[in-house]
Amino acid sequence: ASGGKLTMVADQTIGKTRVEVLQGDIRTEQSDALITAVNSGKMWFGGIDGAIQSVAGNQFHAQAASHDLSDLKTVLAKGGNGNRGKFKNVVFVVDDLKSPLHKVVMAGLQEASKAGFKTVTIPGIRLGVMLGVVEKTLEEAYGELEKGVKTFLTRPTSIENIKFVMRD
């Protein structure tokens, strides 16, 4: 992580929504919700899950674990007093690596918009140890992330700012 500093990599407005790509630490970026993927087997450790748990303990993951989880289902986990991260809530999208990444992104954005969130943060989903399972290259994964956002933004939304935060 970058010690709380974020570096702007890209910035674009699509319709009324600002889309930013930042390099930094998801825990330090202010947002109404963090959107991320989890598997249905509840094997949630390391990477993004570890970052969430490092600032919020198990409060978000415990809410997800209480649901019946199936591929592309979403769980809105509400934040509480124990969350030291700058994100208030977490939208989990169940991702069993059966669908292209754009569908995961769209499902998370739809849930966040339904909840009325204005600002969301999305970490580098499938860009670490999961790269190569569905999307074979970084370019393909980035293309899927972009496709998910652009497809989502063809409809009205409450979301005013989408921030992709890629780890240093």
Side-chain angles (χ1 to χ4, degrees):
S2 62
K5 292 193 295 188
L6 290 170
T7 304
M8 178 66 73
V9 178
D11 188 354
Q12 177 182 6
T13 300
I14 301 173
K16 295 180 180 179
T17 303
R18 181 178 181 189
V19 180
E20 301 172 82
V21 179
L22 307 164
Q23 189 173 19
D25 184 339
I26 60 168
R27 299 170 290 191
T28 63
E29 188 59 25
Q30 193 84 34
S31 66
D32 294 324
L34 175 69
I35 298 172
T36 191
V38 291
N39 60 64
S40 63
K42 302 178 184 174
M43 302 286 288
W44 306 328
F45 49 85
I48 298 165
D49 293 310
I52 294 168
Q53 292 166 351
S54 75
V55 293
N58 199 35
Q59 69 174 285
F60 293 114
H61 288 85
Q63 291 175 62
S66 70
H67 287 76
D68 181 32
L69 304 176
S70 58
D71 198 49
L72 296 180
K73 181 175 179 179
T74 58
V75 175
L76 172 56
K78 298 279 191 168
N81 293 333
N83 178 17
R84 297 182 324 277
K86 298 293 183 182
F87 53 91
K88 297 175 187 170
N89 306 286
V90 176
V91 174
F92 291 110
V93 181
V94 180
D95 179 15
D96 286 335
L97 305 171
K98 296 177 182 176
S99 302
L101 184 54
H102 78 270
K103 290 188 177 185
V104 175
V105 171
M106 284 184 54
L109 289 168
Q110 288 167 348
E111 183 67 29
S113 183
K114 187 172 94 178
F117 296 143
K118 303 280 185 214
T119 303
V120 298
T121 303
I122 304 174
I125 300 169
R126 290 194 193 165
L127 300 181
V129 296
M130 294 300 148
L131 183 64
V133 178
V134 179
E135 293 78 26
K136 301 303 181 196
T137 65
L138 274 176
E139 292 76 19
E140 186 180 355
Y142 288 144
E144 284 290 313
L145 291 169
E146 181 179 21
K147 180 179 179 180
V149 169
K150 286 185 173 179
T151 303
F152 170 76
L153 289 177
T154 61
R155 301 179 205 113
T157 179
S158 67
I159 300 173
E160 298 171 356
N161 188 239
I162 298 170
K163 303 175 192 183
F164 284 99
V165 178
M166 305 303 162
R167 203 171 84 207
D168 288 346

